């Protein structure tokens, strides 16, 4: 969702700034498309054992809670994605943090997915940014969630996170 929002907002800039945003966005997307843990791919210099802490601090950074996140997060992100970080932190000055906006998109995706699954008679349990469905309906749920993301963000996302294999 961050990638789609970067692209949407980049259209409001011209020239070099737009080019840098789109170039960094492409690098960000390539990282995510490689699979594995996105947080560890984006911030590889941070130790694996701190993954949960890294995720939490990245969320705090996106939510514009300056001074509350680990400074290493902002530093690592600025090093790799300076234009994207400038866009994120620029939201802080306007009083409209990017994190809550992205969370509202995520919430709408989950709600739309639950509704579509219910209409198909698929029982599910929402868990923050996930949906738990019967294994036999997994592919259907992935398709529904993928479509919900596309409809709200204009991008196709990789959906994974399978936690159980029979």
């Amino acid at each position: 969702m961050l990638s789609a929002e970067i692209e949407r907002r980049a259209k409001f800039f011209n020239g070099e700034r737009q080019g840098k945003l789109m170039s960094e966005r492409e690098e960000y997307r390539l990282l995510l498309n490689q699979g594995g843990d996105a947080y560890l791919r984006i911030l590889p210099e941070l130790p694996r054992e701190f993954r949960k802490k890294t995720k939490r601090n990245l969320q705090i950074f996106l939510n514009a809670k300056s001074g509350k996140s680990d400074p290493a997060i902002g530093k690592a992100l600025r090093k790799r994605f300076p234009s994207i970080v400038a866009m994120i932190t620029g939201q802080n000055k306007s009083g409209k943090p990017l994190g809550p906006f992205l969370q509202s998109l995520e919430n709408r995706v989950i709600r739309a997915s639950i509704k579509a699954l219910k209409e198909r008679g698929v029982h599910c349990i929402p868990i923050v940014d996930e949906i738990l469905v019967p294994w036999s309906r997994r592919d259907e749920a992935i398709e529904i969630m993928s479509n919900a993301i596309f409809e709200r963000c204009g991008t196709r996302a990789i959906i994974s996170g399978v936690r159980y294999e029979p």
Side-chain angles (χ1 to χ4, degrees), residues 40-158:
L40 296 177
R41 287 208 176 278
I42 295 167
L43 301 163
E45 60 275 9
L46 299 176
R48 296 183 72 80
E49 61 269 17
F50 298 126
R51 189 256 183 218
K52 190 173 187 176
K53 182 180 177 184
T54 298
K55 179 180 178 181
R56 185 179 67 246
N57 278 305
L58 184 58
Q59 295 298 323
I60 291 169
F61 181 80
L62 285 173
N63 284 310
K65 294 179 180 173
S66 60
K68 293 186 178 184
S69 71
D70 183 342
I73 299 293
K75 184 177 179 181
L77 283 171
R78 268 187 201 84
K79 181 179 174 186
R80 192 158 201 178
F81 304 107
S83 297
I84 291 174
V85 170
M87 185 190 79
I88 292 168
T89 57
Q91 295 303 307
N92 298 354
K93 295 174 186 166
S94 70
K96 298 177 184 173
L98 187 58
F101 173 76
L102 294 174
Q103 287 174 346
S104 74
L105 277 178
E106 182 180 82
N107 183 280
R108 285 183 260 157
V109 165
I110 295 295
R111 287 190 350 229
S113 299
I114 292 168
K115 181 180 178 190
L117 287 165
K118 183 178 178 184
E119 289 170 356
R120 292 187 186 189
V122 179
H123 297 283
C124 66
I125 300 170
I127 306 171
V128 186
D129 61 353
E130 303 174 358
I131 298 175
L132 183 64
V133 298
W135 184 261
S136 62
R137 306 298 289 269
R138 175 183 174 271
D139 290 337
E140 194 174 354
I142 288 172
E143 178 187 355
I144 286 169
M145 188 175 281
S146 177
N147 290 337
I149 291 169
F150 182 75
E151 289 167 9
R152 280 143 192 88
C153 303
T155 190
R156 291 285 177 193
I158 295 175

